[in-house]
Amino acid sequence: MPTSPASGSSASGHDDTGSVDAVHVDALHVDPELTDGRHTNAAIAVVAVLCFGGLVASLMQTLIIPIQPELPHLLHTSISNASWVITATLLAAAVAMPIAGRLGDMFGKQRVMLVSAALLVVGSLVCALSASLVPMVVGRAIQGLAMGFIPVGISLMREVTPPRITSMAVAAMSATLGVGGAIGLPLSAWVAQQWDWRALFWVAAGLAVIVTALVALLVPHLDDGNGGHFDVVGAIGLALGLSGLLIAISKGNDWGWGSPTTLGLLAGGLAILVIWGAFELRHADPLVDLRATARPAVLLTNIAAIAIGFGMMAQAIVVPQILEMPTATGGLGQTLLAAGLWMAPGGLMMLVFAPVSGTLINTIGAKLTLAIGATVLGLGYLSAFFLMNAPWQLALASVICSAGVGIGYAAMPTLIMGAVPISEAGAAVGLNGLMRSIGTTSASAVMALVLTSSTVTYGSVDVPSHSAFRWCFLIGAIAAFVGVAITMLVPAARRKAASAPTVTDERPVAAQA
């Protein structure tokens, strides 16, 4: 499918100024049967499988929360050590996303998703059979590695969908990041109350087996592997650097921000990442093409992802605490299951807004869609600042926040994929997922610091004060509006008629301003 050469445009479908450009369809490894309008149903089936897989993978993030207070007793360990059960998953997910994306670009995305789904099966089985801390942490880390499924699936979307539904498909799978976490809380609370705690992981293993089978049977293996050599040293450097940085951030409140351990890990992690960056710039076939990620469109989108990821996690941490605190302390006295049910509509709202986001991307472009999403997120936090006196009020604020996240999360990978070559789409989307993880991890640390800085005594326990929760909502709003400001700095896309697709006029410009 020949296209006329565009003046000043590179062969990869983006120019050298860093602004987002139209994607060259002839560079895509697209299955003609799936992009033919007569086979839209087959494409929708593939999208449904990818979304279900993303939902199950993200579900693992909140699976353990209902039994978190019981983990020290269940695993015969201390409270501090038990927290590694959650930290290990978050850390492994952050490391896995860019690495899985790169592997998908090299060896084919369907293969990598199949491996990710299999890792989820293995991790869930290890957890289900664990009776002590170490195997549980190992199993949870393996579950975290399965999060690589999501960025690889998102980057596959534009290769297996007709142009008219690509934005909708990307929006739907992006929404699974929030939906899985939101429905995971009430679902896992119900399972834990009805059966033994190990049932959580047996259910997870069963879901993972279904995902593995569906990916193997229904997701086509396209000839989308670009080959190359896997950057082992780069992967190890990234893992070590991120581990030091994220462990310091996530454990800083427990260890003390001025403790030698926290400062050592923070400084060591940053130093390793600086050395890693210098190595990647000199590597012929790097894990992450830092020159491509330095393009303004990619760089600014990733910075905005940190701010919006921060905003998403802040309400997920703060709202359940207010709902569950005793009424004598200013809380709303809800049970864990009830709190999860109040939070569930927010997660489902992300899925509801997926088609809205897709329509906005097609109509006004991904840049403005991301700005609108971040704005709605900020308005949700401002609503929560004033609506804290009843469960329904917090549920309403959570719905508004989640709508903003649902709109914004879909726009970010669209912006990223429109600014990098197709051969690097998986790694670039994975790196964007990492940036969101840094935002969510930072939110956990900041919210914990704020909530412990202003407390009231309830019996023999100190609990966060009402003003501390208000400060959390205000900080979340500020983070969201910072995301808006950064998004508006993303260079505008330029339509180039000469490089526009000639096969169909339905494929939208990936990220039009």
Side-chain angles (χ1 to χ4, degrees):
M1 12 186 171
T3 58
S4 303
S7 176
S9 178
S10 69
S12 61
H14 52 80
D15 58 33
D16 293 329
T17 65
S19 60
V20 184
D21 194 9
V23 178
H24 288 250
V25 170
D26 57 356
L28 302 179
H29 305 280
V30 182
D31 186 336
E33 288 192 356
L34 288 174
T35 54
D36 190 316
R38 294 172 298 176
H39 296 82
T40 299
N41 289 339
I44 292 175
V46 174
V47 170
V49 170
L50 297 180
C51 289
F52 178 66
L55 186 70
V56 172
S58 61
L59 186 72
M60 300 306 113
Q61 303 297 298
T62 55
L63 185 72
I64 203 76
I65 290 179
I67 62 172
Q68 184 179 0
E70 302 174 29
L71 285 176
H73 170 70
L74 295 173
L75 301 176
H76 312 291
T77 188
S78 65
I79 294 175
S80 177
N81 286 338
S83 66
W84 284 103
V85 175
I86 293 177
T87 303
T89 309
L90 299 176
L91 182 60
V95 172
M97 285 190 280
I99 293 177
R102 175 60 179 152
L103 290 172
D105 291 334
M106 291 177 59
F107 303 115
K109 298 177 179 64
Q110 191 260 7
R111 287 193 181 104
V112 174
M113 287 191 294
L114 198 57
V115 171
S116 296
L119 285 173
L120 192 55
V121 175
V122 173
S124 300
L125 290 175
V126 170
C127 291
L129 297 172
S130 296
S132 59
L133 178 65
V134 173
M136 176 64 78
V137 171
V138 170
R140 289 288 289 166
I142 297 173
Q143 284 186 321
L145 293 175
M147 282 293 287
F149 186 101
I150 294 178
V152 177
I154 290 174
S155 63
L156 180 64
M157 287 294 190
R158 68 177 180 179
E159 300 180 37
V160 297
T161 57
R164 62 182 175 276
I165 68 169
T166 298
S167 295
M168 301 290 185
V170 170
M173 187 157 188
S174 299
T176 63
L177 282 165
V179 177
I183 67 174
L185 186 58
L187 178 62
S188 55
W190 176 72
V191 171
Q193 287 181 5
Q194 295 296 317
W195 295 284
D196 181 77
W197 65 273
R198 298 178 190 277
L200 291 172
F201 298 104
W202 288 116
V203 170
L207 291 173
V209 169
I210 294 173
V211 171
T212 304
L214 290 175
V215 171
L217 295 174
L218 297 181
V219 177
H221 172 60
L222 307 180
D223 184 21
D224 59 347
N226 296 286
H229 298 286
F230 183 67
D231 181 10
V232 177
V233 175
I236 294 173
L238 179 64
L240 291 176
L242 285 176
S243 295
L245 181 64
L246 295 180
I247 289 174
I249 293 174
S250 61
K251 303 290 285 186
N253 284 298
D254 294 334
W255 294 341
W257 289 102
S259 73
T261 303
T262 302
L263 294 177
L265 283 171
L266 193 60
L270 289 173
I272 292 173
L273 288 176
V274 170
I275 297 171
W276 170 81
F279 175 82
E280 291 294 286
L281 288 173
R282 289 170 173 79
H283 200 282
D285 198 3
L287 177 72
V288 178
D289 186 349
L290 294 181
R291 290 184 176 85
T293 60
R295 293 174 180 273
V298 180
L299 178 63
L300 292 171
T301 301
N302 282 334
I303 296 174
I306 296 175
I308 295 172
F310 185 104
M312 184 201 78
M313 180 56 69
Q315 61 101 13
I317 294 171
V318 176
V319 173
Q321 291 198 47
I322 303 176
L323 288 169
E324 294 172 34
M325 280 176 51
T327 54
T329 65
L332 299 174
Q334 303 294 299
T335 65
L336 177 63
L337 179 57
L341 291 172
W342 282 114
M343 292 289 291
L348 296 176
M349 189 58 60
M350 295 185 194
L351 193 59
V352 170
F353 268 80
V356 174
S357 182
T359 300
L360 288 173
I361 291 171
N362 289 339
T363 305
I364 63 176
K367 172 183 171 178
L368 291 181
T369 301
L370 178 56
I372 289 172
T375 301
V376 173
L377 174 61
L379 293 175
Y381 276 113
L382 292 180
S383 300
F385 184 85
F386 296 103
L387 299 175
M388 294 175 54
N389 300 316
W392 70 266
Q393 293 179 347
L394 285 174
L396 176 62
S398 179
V399 164
I400 297 172
C401 288
S402 299
V405 172
I407 294 171
Y409 264 26
M412 281 189 282
T414 306
L415 273 171
I416 294 293
M417 288 191 293
V420 299
I422 186 67
S423 61
E424 299 174 11
V429 174
L431 184 62
N432 182 252
L434 169 60
M435 294 300 106
R436 289 198 301 265
S437 294
I438 291 175
T440 57
T441 303
S442 301
S444 299
V446 171
M447 294 302 107
L449 184 62
V450 173
L451 293 175
T452 55
S453 64
S454 176
T455 60
V456 296
T457 301
Y458 177 68
S460 59
V461 179
D462 290 336
V463 296
S465 66
H466 214 253
S467 61
F469 287 118
R470 288 190 182 276
W471 273 110
C472 288
F473 290 134
L474 185 59
I475 292 170
I478 292 171
F481 290 130
V482 167
V484 176
I486 295 171
T487 300
M488 295 311 296
L489 296 176
V490 174
R494 293 201 297 268
R495 283 186 185 272
K496 295 184 179 179
S499 63
T502 58
V503 174
T504 176
D505 60 359
E506 290 182 315
R507 180 169 292 279
V509 173
Q512 181 188 359

